[in-house]
Amino acid sequence: ITLGIRGNIPSQVKTDFSRSGTAHLLAISGLHLSIITGILLSLGIWLFGKRHYLYLWLALAIIWLYALITGMHPPVVRGAIMASLFLAAELSGRQRSAFTALAFAAAVMIGISPQILWDASFQLSFLAMAGLIIIYPSLRVLGGRIAGLVPGEEGAGVTVTRIVVDGMSVSVAAVLATWPVVAHYFGIVSFTGPLATLLALPALPAVIMTGALAGILGIVALPLAQVAGWITWLFLSYLLLVVNGFAALPFSHIVAGKVSTGFIIAYYLVIAAVLWVTARKRDEETSASEAVVRVRSAGPGLFSRLAGQRVMILLMAMAVLTTVVAGNMPDGKLHVSFLDVGQGDAILIQT
């Protein structure tokens, strides 16, 4: 979990993670980087305070060192770029935007390697993050209404309810954004993923921290590393208990087979339509006075924004053309095709 090395995990354990919808906890991703970034920022502020922004530079350096150690896989690179952009915004005093950071990360990665567009881990990583940015806010509001939460209300019970609602909203948003692609590549759909993730996720930061501590102490003093390892074992035991329990439930998952590309496209079009309708309804609930204020304040910059929209259309056209060209580029691999045509055969070798 700390370094993303999964080669020695028993096959049954891997299967349980897949069936319970928690396989993403084993893969190094933006989730791991978010946890590590939070730990580093807290540690940096504790050590150096906020003088000269040393805590930001410490976090930035270790994030990219961690990404390098774990193999620079697409989800890690995406998380590292987004974290770097957020830290740069903090350093320069600029506003932070998750959607801007996600788009920037995608642009950088595709610009360096256009073929990464067809990489499953790249697609799943960006879809999951887009789900958290776009779908999560609506689910959070809906969950709050269902749970009867009142804005501004306080109390221990309210706090616990908000944590549960927020955790479930995060899990469901990620599942809604990714399950067709997961089914397309892996042929499995889990129904217990959101709840299993909600219960298993609290152990993840402890596993990462104590696991890393055990590895570092092992270089210095093995007995101390063994103590840290026993602490890690406690959290891992809880994690496996949750995963194995949900995987053993009847109807916890179905084997869906390979989902067609047409279905995936239709699904995301429906999701986009639902989000658009929801946004329209939310806009219609805005009072007329607020709308007038917005129109008045927008007047001076109206023409500049119209010009900006034309530029955006041009950039979108360039992006589409670049994507088409990238899709037809050679992948740098040797392809040998055996063509059986009945009365004879041929071998096509493409370098």
Side-chain angles (χ1 to χ4, degrees):
I1 286 178
T2 304
L3 295 178
I5 301 172
R6 293 182 283 176
N8 55 356
I9 298 177
S11 59
Q12 183 57 48
V13 176
K14 289 183 181 179
T15 301
D16 287 345
F17 270 90
S18 297
R19 290 177 175 176
S20 62
T22 54
H24 58 282
L25 299 181
L26 294 176
I28 299 296
S29 64
L31 174 64
H32 293 67
L33 273 177
S34 300
I35 294 171
I36 290 172
T37 302
I39 295 170
L40 290 173
L41 289 176
S42 300
L43 180 62
I45 292 174
W46 179 69
L47 289 175
F48 308 111
K50 293 190 175 182
R51 296 187 304 272
H52 308 298
Y53 294 103
L54 291 176
Y55 69 101
L56 293 177
W57 293 112
L58 173 69
L60 193 62
I62 297 182
I63 282 170
W64 282 103
L65 176 63
Y66 180 71
L68 187 64
I69 290 174
T70 55
M72 297 292 284
H73 298 298
V76 186
V77 175
R78 188 269 303 163
I81 293 174
M82 291 187 67
S84 300
L85 203 60
F86 270 66
L87 293 175
E90 180 74 15
L91 186 63
S92 60
R94 298 292 299 273
Q95 185 178 6
R96 290 169 291 182
S97 168
F99 198 80
T100 301
L102 182 66
F104 180 77
V108 170
M109 295 176 69
I110 295 170
I112 294 173
S113 177
Q115 294 295 336
I116 203 173
L117 272 171
W118 287 266
D119 185 90
S121 60
F122 174 86
Q123 296 172 6
L124 290 172
S125 176
F126 276 88
L127 283 171
M129 195 66 205
L132 297 183
I133 296 171
I134 301 171
I135 302 176
Y136 164 70
S138 298
L139 290 179
R140 186 172 183 264
V141 172
L142 178 62
R145 290 176 179 174
I146 294 174
L149 294 175
V150 178
E153 188 179 0
E154 297 181 355
V158 175
T159 301
V160 172
T161 304
R162 289 188 191 280
I163 292 174
V164 173
V165 168
D166 290 352
M168 284 296 294
S169 299
V170 167
S171 298
V172 172
V175 169
L176 286 176
T178 58
W179 78 262
V181 179
V182 171
H184 175 78
Y185 285 113
F186 307 109
I188 189 171
V189 178
S190 174
F191 300 116
T192 59
L195 185 56
T197 299
L198 176 67
L199 295 176
L201 195 57
L204 196 64
V207 170
I208 293 175
M209 285 189 293
T210 58
L213 182 63
I216 295 171
L217 289 176
I219 303 174
V220 182
L222 188 58
L224 293 177
Q226 288 175 325
V227 173
W230 278 108
I231 299 173
T232 309
W233 174 83
L234 289 173
F235 291 106
L236 284 173
S237 297
Y238 166 76
L239 180 66
L240 288 173
L241 179 66
V242 173
V243 170
N244 296 339
F246 277 96
L249 292 175
F251 308 111
S252 63
H253 69 285
I254 59 171
V255 179
K258 187 174 181 178
V259 176
S260 67
T261 305
F263 175 82
I264 294 176
I265 294 172
Y267 173 81
Y268 286 116
L269 288 176
V270 171
I271 289 288
V274 171
L275 292 172
W276 180 76
V277 170
T278 304
R280 284 290 299 271
K281 287 184 177 179
R282 190 163 50 243
D283 291 341
E284 291 173 359
E285 293 174 357
T286 305
S287 64
S289 60
E290 291 176 346
V292 170
V293 171
R294 285 202 307 272
V295 170
R296 287 179 178 175
S297 63
L302 179 61
F303 291 103
S304 62
R305 279 198 299 276
L306 288 174
Q309 290 176 0
R310 291 173 183 166
V311 173
M312 286 301 299
I313 293 173
L314 178 61
L315 290 174
M316 285 293 294
M318 292 173 61
V320 171
L321 290 174
T322 303
T323 303
V324 172
V325 172
N328 294 311
M329 288 176 63
D331 58 8
K333 298 178 181 178
L334 176 68
H335 294 265
V336 181
S337 303
F338 296 88
L339 312 177
D340 184 2
V341 293
Q343 298 300 318
D345 47 46
I347 300 173
L348 174 64
I349 300 176
Q350 295 171 285
T351 62

